[in-house]
């Protein structure tokens, strides 16, 4: 029976894989389907592919090819998306430019184009795969902590997410959402698929590990910006409590492949000869910054931290509002497309270049904004050409110095923050990291102005005249986005994006201070807020929201008693245990009275035992036929949920048993743990 | 009794701390020693210090001040050492220059100066603290994995190591050993001390965690070069199996403090205005490298990997040789000073500028070599001025092209490798990372020449004429040192040292390939080799040396049965258990016959129980008086050592119990685990 079951399982697997890819079809062991044509050719091809597999395996493990493929494919996806988004944006601006003189037509073009695109993306992703909306990072974090989240790794989801994200990005500056989060999710889905493929090629049938997913998290960030090191750091940070060192090299390898491919593709597409930093900067290398400026950077970090708390407060408020307000709730549940269209239309109204948009640099895309803010050469030339009010401010500041500008800028920033928060409610596949990064840049501009006032009154002019504003944007962006997401990798990302290693230390310091402020008093990060609002079983988020929760004793939250067998069980008891339990291991006790835990027995052995009993018509005893495996880890019901969780993370067989004074109480697998965490999440 | 014991313990602690520092003396709770003078003043000072403590604690936890102090102090130590070494080297070269014309005197000056310094350092460190010799990284790795290594964290060791290392570095290019490893060790010692101080200030008496040590490992690298990110990555890499995420922010914080202090000190000492990369480079930013060069970088990585295997083979051979050869053995055990003096004299003979030294750029220190090899401006001017044969080669290569140069360079490199391997046997506090880095640079020069030949015959000249050689040095150095130490952080270190982010991806790729080659077939890293030769109980090294060893079942290697109490134990049994065991927790079983494990009871409670029995003269039972804590983790004797090790790393109380089918077999703490690992290490 057991053989049959595994065979069936295997065949199912094969069929799935065949549908998905041509390559895997050929690599699977020879199928003896006589009705298929070209038997000889197929056999020939298969033999060669098997030889190729052996040849590949002799160099290094198949999974390493998987890591390389993951990196390269994600980078190609990232490049394709950038390319198509750029074309769509160009088309929009071209149309807008052609309608010059017809204000009404221009207005319709400006507002309806993004509104239609977003409405389409929203209803498309809702209809094809409703799980593809949002950033995906909270779900990826939950999956990385070992808990399965169904529907989030399907290929349908991947294609929906890819198309939806392209549409969202094509909406341009109106909905200035990013692509980091969705890309992490995309690469996770790709990674899960490649993982299955690798295991099929290797002929292994063991459960999927989280290795490919950890790697995929690193690749997502690395391929998005061609920044491998910050990708790996991001991957370390999203892990729940421990980063396993065996994932370290795969992460770096895959991220390096992804980063390299992304750089090569961008270099070739631009007909450029060389590989450069994504956002070229040319800060003078001789005098990057002065020692005393460190204090200003630290102040900037603290201000960004305070700003992030306000931003997170607004975000949580609107999350709650959309969940409790009846109008929003009905719209978000039934008319997602309409809601997206209306919100984007409203945002487009605000950003229309002939209305308030002139103050918002709305004609520029996120990427252009970043480039212009970070590049000192283009500084003066571009700010005069384009209708960029903000940049102009900073130039004119020294001449006018009136506080009107300050209040105006403040007003704009506040409004923009609300726009950003509103955009976050859109049911679209979208990332929230990049807008936060850009917002941080603008915030830094604000603070830079503040510091300019300070400079005016207190410190000697000559010293601060040399101070470069761009470094403040860089550091401010890193600090703000780091504080919002409770991570430190943005500091390194800022360095890798711009190629300015000299600013690594100030960026790091600023991000650390901002993080300290953002994390104080159990502050929730952006992703924690989303996790809790979605009631995801993610322990670190729960811990932040309610610190005493993970200290709950295991005994209080454990579910129903699990199936168990006694040592002397006969076929009837084994039969009922097998049909009642779906676990791979079933615990064995001394007797149902004493309940002393002995070990566990594999499900496959039990099936074999039943099979033998049926065919040979004998009444065997469990301990005479099957081997009871005693190598298991036991905790007591008085251990806390957090402790059990930690144990489960490192337990050899992904199962721990719970016994009170030698007596078996139950067992905990990841699915049990998931139920416990879902139960805990409900209480918040 | 228990109160007395803890009080005594506390007092002992206080006394130790008082000897060590003035500050801690004042912060300890008021001591009512009436004989001490200035009672009022002292009370006043103490009160203010306590207020200060509360004030500090209101901002953030005391341990964060500890992290900051650790970073700053390590950076100051690093700077002081650099400063004094520079002065000592200057003095040597000044003397050598003054003796121009007197070959014999010059010879004596050249050879005796480093020989005497090294002989002094060797006998000094041997006599004061014999544990201060060598790199210290293998011991730090062992300590980070949770196992105590006595004598390696004392303050005596720290001062000895600091002085010894200064002497070693002052020997200059003759013994071109580095300072990374010892600095990691130094910062660990400082960290352990600061940790004790912090816990004293907080008034906690709990056991020392590894947190400060993990942070210290990051700070060591960060303060050595002012490179915080690679410091943190190094810290992640030296962990044995899992990196706990709660150490992530402290690591970055402390490393940022250290890096910043180091940069500030260097900036102020050079009277410079700004903070720059340590080794300034000016690779052109417009064309850092061409896409096709990636292949050359990959090839370089593979060659570096192969070279590293040869180097590691030589290193292991000489380690074995010095352990088995009788002459070496007697010299190394009894006459360390003499041995060091002789070896350094021999090395100085070879590097004497009037003999073979002219080919070895021996007048240059490691730092100067790095600067000159990485700076393109100084390239042509310096190579003509100084007697640097190697650099000249590469310039003349295109004109002469004779294979004599190639063979000469090869011969020199081989000789230098042997010199390096010989220098590694010196019983001195010294680092082996930097020389390997520089050696990698030279190796890259070699390979660069090889690739030039290839270019000549196959590829168009015009393309490769633009190729910059320095980038090869950088990448080669990263790849070689990464391969020797089995780490990836050198790739990032190379970037942080030179400020060339554009080369991050090629350096990473090259390092990854070199690592793949070096790690294949269970290759041991440099530090693994040292760990095994020193028989340190470091599980990952043992696993590499003998892969089946960690799969040994726990039952086979467990020591004698531990002390246990039965539920109904009386005062006599408790008394004997307390005197026979030194653990903080003592396991309790149902009865000595059934041996069903119930939980454990705290030693302090047992002492209280005994005390009460003595004073009240009653015959109590254990389970009536003491609370048996059931929240413990149980493994079976069939679990492997590796599994038990992983469990122990995350176990809440740092103790796991071993029970076979409910019956207690023993318990495992870190000291038990150490014994098991020492036992396993003996078998190799």
């Amino acid at each position: 029976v057991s053989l049959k079951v595994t065979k069936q399982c295997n065949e199912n697997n094969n069929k799935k894989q065949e549908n998905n890819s041509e390559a895997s079809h050929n690599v699977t062991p020879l199928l003896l389907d006589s009705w298929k044509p070209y038997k000889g050719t197929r056999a020939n091809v298969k033999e060669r592919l098997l030889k190729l597999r052996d040849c590949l395996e002799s160099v290094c493990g198949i999974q390493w090819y998987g890591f390389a493929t993951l990196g390269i494919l994600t980078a190609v996806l990232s490049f394709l998306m950038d390319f198509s988004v750029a074309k769509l944006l160009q088309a929009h601006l071209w149309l807008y430019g052609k309608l010059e003189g017809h204000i009404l037509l221009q207005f319709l073009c400006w507002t309806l184009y993004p509104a239609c695109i977003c409405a389409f993306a929203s209803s498309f992703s809702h209809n094809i795969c409703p799980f593809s909306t949002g950033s995906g990072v909270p779900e990826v974090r939950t999956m990385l902590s070992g808990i399965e989240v169904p529907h989030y790794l399907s290929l349908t989801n991947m294609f929906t997410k890819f198309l939806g994200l392209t549409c969202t990005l094509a909406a341009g500056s109106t909905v200035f959402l990013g692509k980091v989060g969705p890309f992490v999710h995309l690469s996770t889905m790709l990674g899960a698929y490649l993982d299955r493929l690798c295991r099929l090629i290797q002929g292994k049938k063991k459960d999927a590990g989280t290795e490919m997913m950890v790697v995929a998290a690193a690749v997502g960030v690395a391929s998005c910006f061609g920044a491998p090191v910050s990708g790996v750091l991001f991957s370390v940070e999203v892990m729940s409590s421990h980063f396993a060192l065996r994932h370290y090299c795969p992460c770096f390898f895959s991220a390096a492949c992804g980063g390299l491919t992304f750089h090569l593709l961008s270099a070739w597409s631009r007909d450029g000869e060389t590989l450069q930093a994504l956002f070229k900067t040319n800060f003078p290398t001789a005098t990057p910054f002065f020692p005393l400026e460190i204090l200003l950077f630290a102040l900037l970090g603290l201000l960004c931290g305070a700003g992030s708390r306000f931003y997170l407060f607004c975000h949580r408020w609107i999350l709650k509002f959309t969940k409790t307000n009846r109008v929003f709730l009905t719209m978000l549940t039934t008319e997602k497309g309409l809601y997206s269209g209306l919100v984007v239309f409203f945002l487009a109204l605000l950003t229309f270049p002939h209305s308030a948009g002139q103050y918002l640099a709305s004609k520029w895309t996120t990427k252009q904004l970043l480039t212009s803010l970070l590049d000192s050469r283009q500084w003066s030339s571009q700010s005069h050409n384009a209708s960029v009010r903000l940049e102009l401010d900073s130039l004119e500041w020294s001449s006018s110095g009136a506080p009107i500008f300050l209040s105006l800028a403040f007003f704009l920033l506040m409004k923009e923050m609300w726009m950003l928060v509103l955009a976050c409610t859109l049911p679209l596949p979208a990332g929230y990291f990049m807008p936060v990064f850009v917002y941080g840049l603008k915030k830094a501009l604000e603070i830079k102005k503040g510091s300019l006032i300070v400079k005016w009154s207190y410190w000697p002019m000559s010293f601060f005249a040399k101070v470069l504003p761009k470094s403040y944007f860089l550091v401010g962006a890193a600090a703000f986005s780091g504080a919002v997401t409770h991570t430190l990798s943005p500091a390194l990302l800022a360095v890798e994006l711009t190629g300015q290693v000299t600013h690594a230390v100030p960026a790091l310091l600023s991000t650390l201070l901002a993080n300290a402020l953002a994390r104080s008093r159990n502050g929730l990060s952006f992703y924690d807020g989303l996790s809790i609002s979605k009631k995801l079983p993610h322990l670190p988020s729960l811990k932040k929201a309610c610190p005493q929760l993970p200290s709950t004793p295991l005994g209080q939250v454990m579910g129903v008693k699990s199936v168990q067998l006694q040592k002397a069980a006969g076929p009837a008891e084994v039969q009922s245990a097998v049909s009642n339990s779906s676990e791979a291991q079933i615990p064995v006790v001394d007797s149902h009275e004493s309940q002393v835990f002995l070990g566990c027995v594999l499900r496959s052995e039990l099936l074999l035992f039943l099979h033998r009993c049926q065919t040979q018509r004998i009444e065997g005893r469990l301990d005479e036929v099957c081997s009871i495996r005693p190598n298991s880890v036991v905790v007591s019901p008085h251990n806390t949920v957090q402790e059990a969780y930690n144990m489960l993370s490192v337990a050899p067989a992904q199962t721990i048993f719970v016994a009170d004074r030698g007596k078996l109480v139950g067992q905990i697998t990841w699915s049990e743990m998931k139920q416990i965490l879902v139960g805990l999440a409900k209480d918040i």
Side-chain angles (χ1 to χ4, degrees), chain A:
Chain A
V1 175
S2 103
L3 279 175
K4 244 189 209 166
V5 169
T6 51
K7 210 174 171 186
Q8 219 170 20
C9 208
N10 194 9
E11 274 176 14
N12 279 339
N13 237 340
N14 286 353
K15 270 180 200 161
K16 237 186 246 167
Q17 295 295 339
E18 273 170 26
N19 293 337
N20 290 336
S21 97
E22 288 284 316
S24 69
H25 161 84
N26 291 321
V27 183
T28 50
L30 283 165
L31 298 169
L32 297 168
D33 299 328
S34 53
W35 54 270
K36 283 192 183 171
Y38 303 115
K39 214 174 162 187
T41 325
R42 281 193 304 122
N44 210 348
V45 167
K46 272 175 193 170
E47 203 175 317
R48 288 193 187 179
L49 281 173
L50 285 173
K51 255 185 200 162
L52 179 68
R53 182 187 79 176
D54 294 343
C55 185
L56 286 176
E57 262 186 340
S58 67
V59 179
C60 63
I62 292 289
Q63 73 275 20
W64 289 94
Y65 297 101
F67 297 142
T69 317
L70 175 63
I72 292 166
L73 280 184
T74 315
V76 169
L77 278 185
S78 168
F79 175 74
L80 275 182
M81 185 175 287
D82 279 0
F83 188 77
S84 34
V85 165
K87 290 287 166 209
L88 283 168
L89 284 174
Q90 243 177 346
H92 185 204
L93 282 183
W94 174 82
L95 189 63
Y96 184 81
K98 283 280 165 190
L99 299 173
E100 192 72 60
H102 310 274
I103 285 276
L104 185 67
L105 285 179
Q106 272 198 323
F107 173 75
L108 286 179
C109 163
W110 184 263
T111 50
L112 287 185
Y113 186 92
C116 288
I117 283 185
C118 285
F120 163 72
S122 201
S123 36
F124 177 76
S125 43
H126 174 66
N127 286 321
I128 306 291
C129 183
F131 305 102
S132 66
T133 58
S135 144
V137 172
E139 287 85 7
V140 169
R141 293 201 309 169
T142 311
M143 283 187 271
L144 280 179
S145 67
I147 286 160
E148 266 180 48
V149 184
H151 313 299
Y152 272 89
L153 291 178
S154 64
L155 278 187
T156 333
N157 197 343
M158 189 173 123
F159 288 115
T160 321
K161 192 133 199 164
F162 186 78
L163 206 69
L165 183 59
T166 313
C167 290
T168 312
L169 293 177
S173 62
T174 301
V175 192
F176 59 111
L177 294 172
K179 70 170 202 179
V180 185
F183 244 85
V184 171
H185 191 186
L186 272 177
S187 71
T188 315
M189 292 186 267
L190 202 59
Y193 177 69
L194 285 172
D195 194 31
R196 267 186 288 156
L197 200 66
C198 282
R199 276 182 292 122
L200 192 78
I201 292 173
Q202 286 173 312
K204 284 182 192 168
K205 260 140 237 131
K206 63 163 190 177
D207 283 338
T210 52
E211 182 164 36
M212 202 55 123
M213 262 188 256
V214 179
V215 172
V219 168
V221 176
S223 305
C224 216
F225 302 114
V229 184
S230 28
V232 175
L233 281 186
F234 175 81
S235 180
V236 171
E237 285 177 328
V238 292
M239 293 308 293
S240 55
S241 70
H242 286 83
F243 180 78
L245 233 64
R246 63 174 188 282
H247 299 153
Y248 184 78
C249 276
C251 276
F252 260 112
F253 176 66
S254 198
C257 287
L260 190 63
T261 313
F262 184 77
H263 277 303
L264 283 176
L265 285 174
S266 348
W268 284 328
S269 74
R270 275 184 281 131
D271 290 306
E273 278 183 313
T274 60
L275 308 176
Q276 296 174 332
L278 196 55
F279 300 101
K280 227 195 304 178
T281 52
N282 52 350
F283 298 4
T285 49
T287 53
F289 61 94
F290 298 92
L292 266 182
E293 273 190 83
I294 295 286
L295 292 176
L296 275 183
F297 284 123
L299 184 73
L300 181 59
L302 288 177
L303 286 172
C304 282
S308 78
R309 283 206 89 121
F310 181 65
Y311 172 75
L312 287 174
F313 172 78
C314 294
H315 180 244
R316 270 204 298 284
W317 182 85
I318 207 155
L319 271 184
K320 218 172 181 178
F321 181 74
T322 52
K323 290 230 162 181
T324 48
N325 186 285
R326 206 175 294 167
V327 183
F328 269 84
L329 206 61
T330 35
M331 276 200 96
L332 273 171
T333 41
T334 53
E335 301 292 337
K336 287 194 179 175
L338 186 65
Y339 174 77
S340 296
L342 282 178
V343 169
V344 176
F345 184 79
F346 173 69
L347 289 176
L349 262 182
L350 290 177
T351 60
F352 183 53
H354 290 280
S355 70
Q358 54 189 299
Y359 304 109
L360 289 168
S362 57
K363 267 191 188 172
W364 289 19
T365 61
T366 311
K367 205 166 177 177
Q368 282 172 322
L369 258 178
L370 267 181
T371 315
S372 74
L373 283 171
L374 292 174
D375 194 344
S376 62
R377 267 178 316 177
Q378 301 179 354
W379 187 261
S380 47
S381 60
Q382 279 199 350
S383 58
H384 287 295
N385 292 341
S387 60
V388 186
R389 193 74 187 147
L390 277 171
E391 274 75 8
L392 226 59
D393 280 356
S394 79
L395 283 176
E396 288 179 358
W397 185 254
S398 47
S399 55
S400 66
I404 313 160
F405 283 102
L406 194 70
S407 62
L408 176 68
F410 184 75
F411 169 70
L412 286 177
L413 282 169
M414 283 302 105
K415 204 174 72 182
E416 213 161 308
M417 186 141 152
W418 276 106
M419 281 169 65
L420 183 56
V421 167
L422 192 60
C424 286
T425 64
L426 288 176
L428 288 168
Y432 312 119
F433 178 81
M434 220 52 212
V436 169
F437 196 82
V438 174
Y439 183 77
L441 279 178
K442 294 191 179 167
K443 179 132 193 106
L445 180 70
E446 173 84 352
I447 290 155
K448 165 73 187 157
K449 280 179 197 161
S451 77
L452 277 175
I453 306 178
V454 175
K455 137 199 161 181
W456 216 285
S457 41
Y458 298 109
W459 283 321
M461 266 303 283
S462 58
F463 173 73
F464 272 92
K466 292 188 206 162
V467 168
L468 291 158
K470 292 141 297 156
S471 55
Y472 285 87
F473 299 144
L474 194 66
V475 171
F480 191 75
S481 44
V484 167
T485 55
H486 284 201
T487 54
L488 299 179
S489 52
L492 200 67
L493 186 65
V495 169
E496 281 196 285
L497 279 183
T498 57
Q500 290 301 325
V501 177
T502 42
H503 284 77
V505 175
L508 202 52
L509 194 78
S510 212
T511 312
L512 276 163
L513 287 174
N515 255 284
L517 213 62
R519 289 183 191 207
S520 60
R521 295 187 195 173
N522 285 310
L524 293 171
S525 78
F526 190 85
Y527 298 130
D528 289 334
L530 283 177
S531 279
I532 286 170
S533 131
K534 288 186 179 179
K535 304 239 179 263
L536 286 173
H538 187 237
L539 191 60
S541 306
L542 294 179
K543 210 158 92 186
K544 276 186 201 164
C546 192
Q548 75 279 11
L549 216 52
S551 318
T552 320
L554 207 53
Q556 282 184 20
V557 286
M558 267 183 66
V560 288
K561 211 168 173 179
S562 67
V563 174
Q564 59 191 42
L565 285 166
Q566 62 179 345
K567 200 169 70 176
E573 195 184 336
V574 170
Q575 181 64 57
S576 82
V578 166
S579 48
N580 286 332
S581 161
S582 59
E583 304 292 343
Q585 292 182 331
I586 291 172
V588 179
V589 294
D590 198 35
S591 70
H592 283 310
E593 289 74 45
S594 73
Q595 292 217 316
V596 172
F597 177 57
L598 298 180
C600 51
V601 64
L602 289 182
R603 189 189 177 79
S604 55
E605 281 196 38
L606 289 180
L607 290 173
L608 213 67
F609 167 64
L610 283 179
H611 182 64
R612 203 186 290 175
C613 287
Q614 278 175 2
T615 50
Q616 297 172 12
R617 294 181 188 283
I618 48 159
E619 282 280 313
R621 264 177 55 151
L622 182 68
D623 57 343
E624 286 163 0
V625 183
C626 299
S627 66
I628 298 169
R629 288 148 191 262
N631 52 336
S632 46
V633 177
V634 182
V635 298
S636 92
H638 300 266
N639 283 86
T640 65
V641 173
Q642 174 77 62
E643 285 164 5
Y645 185 88
N646 287 349
M647 289 291 148
L648 194 56
S649 316
V650 294
Q654 307 260 311
T655 310
I656 54 176
F657 294 92
V658 184
D660 192 11
R661 302 168 183 230
K663 291 188 173 71
L664 185 72
V665 177
Q667 64 177 324
I668 293 188
T669 56
W670 279 116
S671 61
E672 267 273 345
M673 183 51 85
K674 187 183 166 183
Q675 280 175 17
I676 290 173
L677 291 181
V678 168
L680 288 181
K682 257 182 210 157
D683 298 348
I684 293 178

